[in-house]
Amino acid sequence: MRFDIVTIFPEFFDVLDISLLGRARKSGLIELGVHDLRDYTHDRHRTVDDTPYGGGAGMVMKPEPWGEALDSVLDDADDPLVIFPSPAGDVFTQQMARELSENAHLVFGCGRYEGIDHRVFDHTASRARVKLVSLGDYVLNGGEVAVMAMIEAIGRLVPGVIGNPASLVEESHEAGLLEYPSYTKPAVWRGIDVPPILLSGNHGAIERWRHEQQVERTRRVRPDLLDE
Ligand code: 6GU
């Protein structure tokens, strides 16, 4: 799977060198291209923003650098999906991560300031599949952190990235429930016991207990998930 990212902060994505996704990149399961939007400007100050038509607070990202940057990424691409992180997009979920992981090539366009000139979305949609995606109902300064979260959630679903695929099945959200609580040695820590059932060796009873814990926890913390 290939990810391309257009951003004015390419160094933000240096952390994708480490951990699980770093290993997936070294083994070739995941390819990553990070592109500096300012490389597609032509003025001495490498300007990427300007004041909004119609007035108002803040600055808007200029269309020309975006057009050239996306041309450069999309020109040789085969059926890419372009994602613009935006609070105005569909909310990112595990279900969406699963669907997005089935694409061979995702391109992320990270906006900053008050957003990108809207013609960039329209023009990009005339040559590729385009999707606006939000992380949730709060405001970030730009798309970079959102893209980092999406790449981590999507990348770990790529076959081979996670060593033990069974661990994908039992996680929070995979079955529409939150995860059960986990424990490891020692059996008593600071006076607190591990739930005795986990030491019983009764695998059927352990499985039932874990499922009860998932349902109880979901009911308490995220009743909205049970409605779905
Ligand atoms: Cl994807 N971008 C920005 N700028 N803010 C957000 C967001 C995305 N999701 C929630 N807030």
Side-chain angles (χ1 to χ4, degrees), residues 206-220:
I206 290 171
E207 208 173 305
R208 281 191 296 280
W209 180 84
R210 284 178 167 167
H211 187 256
E212 284 162 20
Q213 292 291 311
Q214 286 191 280
V215 173
E216 200 283 318
R217 203 181 216 188
T218 308
R219 200 191 318 279
R220 181 163 36 89

Side-chain angles (χ1 to χ4, degrees), residues 84-87 111 133-143 146-147 150:
F84 290 103
S86 163
V133 180
S134 167
L135 225 51
D137 293 337
Y138 42 83
V139 179
L140 303 171
N141 282 331
V147 167
M150 291 183 224

Side-chain angles (χ1 to χ4, degrees), residues 123-152:
H123 183 266
T124 307
S126 74
R127 62 173 304 187
R129 294 177 295 139
V130 169
K131 194 170 171 61
L132 269 59
V133 180
S134 167
L135 225 51
D137 293 337
Y138 42 83
V139 179
L140 303 171
N141 282 331
E144 283 78 6
V145 166
V147 167
M148 196 77 79
M150 291 183 224
I151 286 180
E152 181 146 324

Side-chain angles (χ1 to χ4, degrees), residues 75-166:
D75 272 350
D76 299 313
D78 178 29
D79 194 29
L81 173 61
V82 183
I83 296 173
F84 290 103
S86 163
D90 297 333
V91 175
F92 188 71
T93 60
Q94 187 65 22
Q95 171 63 24
M96 194 191 290
R98 267 193 299 271
E99 289 165 12
L100 294 176
S101 75
E102 283 161 19
N103 288 273
H105 188 186
L106 297 179
V107 176
F108 294 94
C110 299
R112 283 260 151 186
Y113 313 111
E114 298 307 303
I116 304 172
D117 185 304
H118 199 80
R119 291 168 293 183
V120 173
F121 305 115
D122 297 334
H123 183 266
T124 307
S126 74
R127 62 173 304 187
R129 294 177 295 139
V130 169
K131 194 170 171 61
L132 269 59
V133 180
S134 167
L135 225 51
D137 293 337
Y138 42 83
V139 179
L140 303 171
N141 282 331
E144 283 78 6
V145 166
V147 167
M148 196 77 79
M150 291 183 224
I151 286 180
E152 181 146 324
I154 296 163
R156 61 196 294 289
L157 298 177
V158 172
V161 170
I162 299 255
N164 176 10

Side-chain angles (χ1 to χ4, degrees), residues 29-98:
L29 288 170
I30 289 179
E31 288 177 79
L32 182 69
V34 182
H35 312 271
D36 188 344
L37 182 68
R38 291 190 200 278
D39 289 347
Y40 300 90
T41 59
H42 302 287
D43 63 311
R44 207 156 47 85
H45 302 289
R46 315 220 305 159
T47 309
V48 294
D49 62 330
D50 206 337
T51 54
Y53 276 125
M59 300 290 271
V60 176
M61 295 190 106
K62 294 163 61 59
E64 305 96 318
W66 275 106
E68 290 192 29
L70 290 170
D71 282 347
S72 145
V73 172
L74 296 176
D75 272 350
D76 299 313
D78 178 29
D79 194 29
L81 173 61
V82 183
I83 296 173
F84 290 103
S86 163
D90 297 333
V91 175
F92 188 71
T93 60
Q94 187 65 22
Q95 171 63 24
M96 194 191 290
R98 267 193 299 271

